[in-house]
Amino acid sequence: MVKAVVLGASGGIGQPLSLLMKTCPLVDDLALYDVVNTPGVAADISHISSIAKVVGYLPADDGLKKALTGADMVVIPAGIPRKPGMTRDDLFNINAGIVRDLTLGIAEHCPKAFVLIISNPVNSTVPIAAEILKSKGVFDPKKVFGVTTLDVVRAETFVAQLTGERDPQKTVIPVIGGHSGETIVPLFSQAKPSVQIPTDKLDEIVKRIQFGGDEVVAAKGGAGSATLSMAYAGFRFAEKVLKAVRGEKGIVEPTYVYLPGVDGGDAIAKATGVDFFSVPVELGPNGAKSAQNILEHVNDHEKKLLEACKSGLKGNITKGVEFAKNPPAK
């Protein structure tokens, strides 16, 4: 029996993610938690004729505790989008606080669950979650993941548009680093099967992968962000973790992890100068089985991208760790 939980299930990512999790035959019980509307979301998707039994919880009556108790996997898309007049620091403090509080719940009620973090900024929220779990003595680096799959999905899609490949998923393109702007580094040189990006298109496609969210915000007229594609990407990664837990071999997905706690991660941490970094990770029954060091094979163009990535990531990680250790006064 597998119990999965979506924290932030009523939001723009949470609702479609919950829908996809309900359709997954690997999930037996699905718990949905948010500060509003979860009973309605749960009632709606509970009518879908799939295996998972669904229950929605609100904060009242120990809702978070009930949602998390017995959980095998917790996916966190909770948080708010940036609103007019809100600074990036305002947004960071709110979402960082949400992730901190939810992680405290995980530490108390399901410390052995796999934790998949979607809440932005992922570069900082994953270090926050790690610090909270460490402070409670329950941090397992093999089970805490930053979901960077949307960057991979975009790379697959945009490259297929260039190459004419009918099925984008037939091309495996590693995307490493972080999950925002210049910290996102697609490694076209290591695509399988190999792809040739025309020189005059290279900067354009890299920027499109790095800032794909801006494209969606503009298309939605500022009234929304990349919620549906993010829900798909979050589900895709969650399903891969569940398949690996069941014993399926050879599953490798880029994900943002605490490198010193994953086999093979130390060499990558040494090469990048950061402890959190997204690289292809082989998944196994216990989570992150090994991190694959593909940095040795990058070309000169990718080396330049990596320098900008590492610089940005260091600040993002430090900001998250500082928030967890010294949270701002409420």
Side-chain angles (χ1 to χ4, degrees):
M1 298 287 284
V2 171
K3 178 178 178 179
V5 184
V6 178
L7 300 180
S10 298
I13 299 169
Q15 288 200 39
L17 176 61
S18 299
L19 169 66
L20 291 165
M21 294 295 287
K22 169 69 172 109
T23 67
C24 181
L26 305 178
V27 176
D28 300 288
D29 292 292
L30 181 61
L32 309 182
Y33 176 85
D34 211 324
V35 292
V36 293
N37 300 334
T38 19
V41 176
D44 194 352
I45 67 171
S46 73
H47 293 185
I48 294 168
S49 53
S50 61
I51 293 166
K53 292 178 173 58
V54 189
V55 183
Y57 298 94
L58 294 167
D61 302 320
D62 278 335
L64 183 61
K65 177 182 178 180
K66 290 174 183 174
L68 291 173
T69 299
D72 300 291
M73 171 181 282
V74 182
V75 190
I76 311 179
I80 64 164
R82 193 170 169 193
K83 295 175 181 174
M86 185 181 282
T87 67
R88 289 190 184 277
D89 280 340
D90 291 337
L91 180 66
F92 172 83
N93 286 333
I94 293 169
N95 284 355
I98 291 170
V99 170
R100 174 198 60 207
D101 294 347
L102 294 176
T103 306
L104 284 167
I106 292 167
E108 186 174 353
H109 305 301
C110 57
K112 296 191 174 174
F114 297 98
V115 182
L116 282 57
I117 299 171
I118 293 171
S119 307
N120 275 322
V122 164
N123 294 356
S124 301
T125 54
V126 174
I128 289 169
E131 287 299 322
I132 297 300
L133 294 170
K134 282 179 191 175
S135 73
K136 299 298 179 182
V138 293
F139 178 50
D140 183 348
K142 295 178 174 62
K143 289 189 170 184
V144 179
F145 304 96
V147 180
T148 59
T149 312
L150 181 53
D151 307 322
V152 178
V153 167
R154 284 178 173 145
E156 291 171 354
T157 301
F158 301 158
V159 167
Q161 289 169 357
L162 270 182
T163 63
E165 169 60 58
R166 181 170 171 269
D167 181 357
Q169 292 188 41
K170 284 189 174 175
T171 308
V172 177
I173 302 164
V175 183
I176 66 172
H179 184 55
S180 68
E182 290 182 338
T183 68
I184 298 167
V185 181
L187 300 182
F188 300 124
S189 68
Q190 296 180 52
K192 294 178 183 174
S194 65
V195 295
Q196 295 299 321
I197 308 293
T199 307
D200 62 332
K201 301 280 187 187
L202 187 56
D203 287 344
E204 179 187 331
I205 195 168
V206 167
K207 187 174 181 183
R208 199 175 174 210
I209 292 165
Q210 290 179 331
F211 297 96
D214 295 352
E215 195 175 304
V216 177
V217 170
K220 291 185 175 182
S225 57
T227 52
L228 300 173
S229 51
M230 184 62 247
Y232 163 77
F235 172 69
R236 175 166 138 172
F237 184 73
E239 188 177 45
K240 292 282 178 73
V241 173
L242 291 173
K243 284 180 176 179
V245 168
R246 285 168 62 97
E248 190 172 321
K249 301 278 198 296
I251 297 177
V252 177
E253 283 288 313
T255 178
Y256 186 71
V257 293
Y258 179 68
L259 292 169
V262 178
D263 286 354
D266 278 333
I268 304 167
K270 189 175 180 182
T272 58
V274 291
D275 282 346
F276 292 89
F277 200 80
S278 182
V279 287
V281 170
E282 183 178 358
L283 300 171
N286 299 313
K289 187 176 177 185
S290 63
Q292 299 185 350
N293 188 357
I294 56 175
L295 297 172
E296 297 162 355
H297 311 295
V298 298
N299 62 30
D300 288 343
H301 180 263
E302 292 161 351
K303 283 177 184 173
K304 287 179 186 172
L305 295 176
L306 274 168
E307 286 310 309
C309 160
K310 290 185 281 189
S311 173
L313 263 184
K314 283 175 183 172
N316 296 159
I317 294 165
T318 300
K319 190 171 183 178
V321 171
E322 283 300 313
F323 181 93
K325 290 183 173 177
N326 303 294
K330 290 186 178 179

